[in-house]
Amino acid sequence: MTCFPIVEPDPGHTKLRLSQEGLEALRRIATPIAAVAVIGPYRSGKSFLLNQLLSLSCNEGFGVGHMRDTKTKGRIWVWGTPQEVEIDGLKTSVFYLDTEGFESVGKSNVYDDRIFALATVLSSVLIYNLAETIREADISRLSFAVELAEEFYGRFAGKDVAFKPAKLLWLIQRDFLQGNTVQEMVNEALRHVPNREGNRNIDQVNQIRDSLAVMGDNSTAFSLPQPHLQRTKLCEMEDGELDQLYVKKRDQLKELVASIIHPKIVQGKFINGKEFVAFLEQILEALNKGEIPTMGSIVEVFNKGILDQCLKLYSERMTRLGFPLPEQSLQDIHGRSREGAMKMFDEQHFGHSHVKKSVMQLDEEIDKVYKNVILANEYTSSKLCEALYTGCEDKMDHLQVLRLPSMAKFNAGFLHCNQSFERECVGPAKANYEHRMMKMLGKSRSLFIKEYNNRLFNWLVAFSLVMVVIGRFVIKFFLIEVGAWILFIFLETYTRMFWTAESLYYNPVWHIIVGTWETLVYSPILDLDRWAIPLGFIAAALVIYWRCYGRRKHGSHWSLPLYNNHKGGRSD
């Protein structure tokens, strides 16, 4: 026997699981696949119908039972030898699926719904096998198929197709009605139920009827008469023993199925056996997510890949950014990147009414990525601003201990630090570090100004004494010595006797001294603080050279007044 189960119930008959025995037979099919599935109430002749479509006896084909238990036993069976047919010039492998009957004893309704849902999604032709007439419960069961059509049928004409909906074939077996055709009977059954009292249940039933219009020409109707009065012996009968009207109608049914069948299309392309099994695994996982199978879970499965692509697009755009960035700039880029991802999802997603959850999930995933981007931006911003702050702090500390104090140099360093920090420190950490920066710079400036006048005063005192020594013992220039003594006496006596330190620093004379000092010590061309030691060494070398060699070379003639010794001789 080449009949295998591909899906079976779990022990509790509440969820479905795969049966590897039948799946291996499907995986070996390399050509495009089309499936014909038969669904309907148990004991309605589904297995016998499939054998008739396959031109097989009951012993060769699907098992047919005449006892009160069902032979499918909660499984979906596949005929393992597909029919090789050519559809629109494309070689196609057609196989047939037999499903568990609805409302069988000991099976939960939730499990029935899953069987119906799975057959609806997998098949290219879905034969709804009904005995004698259409009941209200039969129409209600189509609610899932209707949702399926509403979600995906609208995208059938586009290139981004999730899967092409199955062709629904209403098959009425043991048709005994006279007058109306089976199509007219179906149309009559699908008319609105009067609801003058506004009953909610009737409203829901009528909504299903309205929604069936979405399937449009995707459904058709057919009927078969009773094959024979002795139904329990059907498997033992040849075609010659069956009702000839039944045989004729059965052959017409075969032709009808062959005319409406098409290869299975999943996400815009025909699928082979291996891809069909992967598709089955996806759908089964979705149907088993909740206690009740929903169209929303199916939509999620097909949107998952698109959702991942959209999230990848957003992530790539955000990770290409050069951190740190100002908060507003980052928000603007996030907004544009999110809009691009949402636009891509809107263009490619599957489903309509049940897509909201997928959109919310994409939004949540984008927010997670964005939060990580914000943290990365904050860390990079803090690291950069901390480095700039530390560099400026070190520079301010260095300016506090200049060898030659200079307000101009301090102000230039202060301005440079302030401007470089303002220009280079960006991102969310800027506000915090900006406050710290201003506080540090203000404190450094106050401390420098406080010490500046005192240090300058001490430098002038030391400078006057140095010039006394130089004028008397080095170059022996009397006027330099006298001037140096006058400056020293003025600083150490007159200022202390007649001026306080504060009054001295506000005196115009002191301002002139400070201006002269600043001009000598610091300018854009010469920074005396930096060159003081090298210039001192050069000056010392020149003096030593002059003392040792200059007098021999130029003789005793001097153009400056020199000190005379006690004997009136020439100075040494």
Side-chain angles (χ1 to χ4, degrees):
M1 184 180 78
T2 56
C3 184
F4 304 100
I6 58 172
V7 174
E8 59 187 6
D10 65 2
H13 280 269
T14 57
K15 293 186 178 182
L16 301 175
R17 64 186 181 188
L18 296 176
S19 176
Q20 296 300 324
E21 182 182 8
L23 295 181
E24 287 304 319
L26 291 179
R27 287 192 179 100
R28 290 193 291 268
I29 301 175
T31 58
I33 272 184
V36 177
V38 179
I39 60 173
Y42 85 108
R43 306 290 296 157
S44 62
K46 298 186 302 300
S47 299
F48 179 76
L49 172 65
L50 282 166
N51 290 335
Q52 291 287 292
L53 293 175
L54 286 166
S55 301
L56 297 171
S57 67
C58 296
N59 294 328
E60 297 172 317
F62 290 97
V64 177
H66 304 298
M67 306 300 291
R68 294 195 181 276
D69 61 330
T70 56
K71 287 295 180 181
T72 42
K73 295 181 181 179
R75 294 177 172 84
I76 296 180
W77 296 78
V78 61
W79 181 250
T81 305
Q83 293 181 337
E84 300 292 339
V85 298
E86 191 168 298
I87 301 174
D88 296 331
L90 181 68
K91 185 179 180 181
T92 305
S93 298
V94 181
F95 60 90
Y96 291 79
L97 301 176
D98 189 13
T99 65
E100 174 196 16
F102 301 147
E103 302 165 351
S104 59
V105 179
K107 308 295 190 294
S108 76
N109 289 333
V110 172
Y111 180 69
D112 285 351
D113 290 340
R114 282 186 169 84
I115 288 289
F116 188 101
L118 194 56
T120 302
V121 173
L122 293 178
S123 60
S124 297
V125 175
L126 182 66
I127 301 177
Y128 199 177
N129 190 61
L130 301 171
E132 298 178 350
T133 188
I134 300 174
R135 302 172 300 166
E136 190 61 47
D138 300 326
I139 297 175
S140 297
R141 286 196 182 278
L142 285 173
S143 59
F144 187 89
V146 168
E147 285 189 276
L148 190 69
E150 287 178 333
E151 291 294 337
F152 294 102
Y153 192 70
R155 296 185 66 86
F156 171 47
K159 60 181 180 180
D160 298 317
V161 179
F163 53 89
K164 183 178 179 179
K167 187 79 172 182
L168 177 62
L169 174 59
W170 299 78
L171 179 63
I172 310 300
Q173 296 237 37
R174 303 193 292 277
D175 180 19
F176 61 89
L177 297 178
Q178 301 295 322
N180 291 344
T181 65
V182 66
Q183 186 65 60
E184 290 172 338
M185 183 177 69
V186 170
N187 294 340
E188 179 68 26
L190 295 179
R191 285 177 185 165
H192 268 226
V193 178
N195 186 22
R196 296 183 181 87
E197 297 179 359
N199 186 290
R200 288 187 177 181
N201 292 329
I202 295 179
D203 278 342
Q204 186 174 2
V205 168
N206 285 332
Q207 285 175 9
I208 295 174
R209 284 169 161 77
D210 292 336
S211 298
L212 280 169
V214 175
M215 302 185 75
D217 61 355
N218 206 46
S219 66
T220 188
F222 197 85
S223 65
L224 285 174
Q226 180 93 319
H228 197 278
L229 292 178
Q230 295 182 339
R231 293 173 54 193
T232 59
K233 295 184 178 181
L234 290 177
C235 284
E236 303 169 9
M237 297 180 181
E238 300 292 336
D239 281 0
E241 302 175 75
L242 299 175
D243 187 299
Q244 291 305 298
L245 178 60
Y246 167 80
V247 174
K248 179 181 178 181
K249 295 281 286 185
R250 180 202 64 192
D251 292 340
Q252 290 176 358
L253 177 62
K254 288 183 180 180
E255 293 175 3
L256 175 61
V257 171
S259 67
I260 62 177
I261 200 167
H262 53 78
K264 190 66 181 176
I265 297 175
V266 176
Q267 293 184 326
K269 67 175 185 177
F270 300 122
I271 58 173
N272 58 26
K274 186 176 181 181
E275 292 164 336
F276 182 88
V277 172
F279 176 61
L280 170 60
E281 291 172 343
Q282 278 185 305
I283 299 301
L284 192 60
E285 179 185 357
L287 292 177
N288 283 332
K289 274 187 176 181
E291 294 182 358
I292 299 175
T294 64
M295 178 51 58
S297 60
I298 300 290
V299 171
E300 287 178 43
V301 167
F302 283 96
N303 284 335
K304 186 178 184 303
I306 299 169
L307 189 147
D308 291 341
Q309 292 175 18
C310 296
L311 185 61
K312 182 180 179 181
L313 173 67
Y314 172 85
S315 300
E316 287 177 348
R317 288 184 178 180
M318 298 303 288
T319 52
R320 286 199 300 264
L321 299 177
F323 296 136
L325 287 172
E327 289 181 285
Q328 188 58 51
S329 298
L330 186 61
Q331 288 178 10
D332 293 343
I333 295 170
H334 159 69
R336 291 193 297 270
S337 300
R338 179 186 176 279
E339 184 179 351
M342 288 297 182
K343 183 179 179 181
M344 177 180 176
F345 185 81
D346 187 58
E347 291 173 349
Q348 298 186 17
H349 76 263
F350 300 108
H352 301 287
S353 59
H354 291 87
V355 77
K356 185 176 180 181
K357 186 173 181 181
S358 296
V359 173
M360 292 174 61
Q361 184 179 355
L362 176 58
D363 211 18
E364 289 174 1
E365 294 298 324
I366 286 176
D367 283 342
K368 289 180 183 177
V369 176
Y370 183 48
K371 287 178 181 178
N372 291 332
V373 170
I374 289 175
L375 291 175
N377 191 49
E378 288 177 350
Y379 172 77
T380 310
S381 174
S382 179
K383 189 175 179 181
L384 174 62
C385 293
E386 176 68 27
L388 291 169
Y389 174 84
T390 303
C392 282
E393 191 175 40
D394 292 342
K395 189 166 188 176
M396 290 298 103
D397 289 343
H398 172 72
L399 291 174
Q400 294 290 345
V401 292
L402 291 175
R403 288 184 291 269
L404 302 177
S406 170
M407 182 64 73
K409 185 173 183 177
F410 181 87
N411 287 338
F414 182 95
L415 183 63
H416 178 266
C417 263
N418 201 20
Q419 289 178 340
S420 62
F421 180 85
E422 188 67 26
R423 182 178 59 255
E424 298 175 26
C425 176
V426 293
K430 183 172 184 176
N432 179 45
Y433 277 91
E434 200 168 38
H435 176 73
R436 291 177 57 188
M437 186 75 172
M438 296 309 297
K439 189 175 179 180
M440 183 271 291
L441 290 177
K443 185 177 179 181
S444 296
R445 188 182 186 90
S446 298
L447 182 61
F448 183 84
I449 292 173
K450 180 180 178 181
E451 297 295 329
Y452 174 74
N453 289 316
N454 292 333
R455 292 184 63 199
L456 180 56
F457 183 89
N458 293 333
W459 261 104
L460 290 174
V461 171
F463 175 74
S464 63
L465 291 176
V466 170
M467 293 308 295
V468 167
V469 173
I470 292 174
R472 183 172 183 81
F473 298 107
V474 178
I475 62 175
K476 297 184 178 180
F477 188 11
F478 176 73
L479 293 179
I480 292 178
E481 181 185 359
V482 171
W485 277 115
I486 293 172
L487 177 61
F488 176 78
I489 294 170
F490 173 79
L491 292 173
E492 286 296 321
T493 59
Y494 190 82
T495 58
R496 297 183 185 277
M497 291 174 62
F498 300 102
W499 291 338
T500 62
E502 289 77 8
S503 61
L504 171 65
Y505 300 151
Y506 288 102
N507 191 279
V509 176
W510 180 255
H511 290 167
I512 294 172
I513 295 173
V514 170
T516 305
W517 171 265
E518 290 290 343
T519 302
L520 294 173
V521 171
Y522 181 79
S523 70
I525 300 174
L526 178 64
D527 181 4
L528 196 58
D529 183 76
R530 180 180 297 178
W531 297 101
I533 294 177
L535 290 176
F537 278 114
I538 293 173
L542 290 175
V543 169
I544 293 172
Y545 173 79
W546 175 79
R547 290 291 292 173
C548 297
Y549 304 102
R551 292 177 64 185
R552 298 176 184 175
K553 183 177 179 180
H554 300 289
S556 59
H557 177 72
W558 282 86
S559 60
L560 296 176
L562 302 176
Y563 286 99
N564 293 321
N565 58 23
H566 296 292
K567 297 180 181 182
R570 190 180 56 182
S571 64
D572 295 330

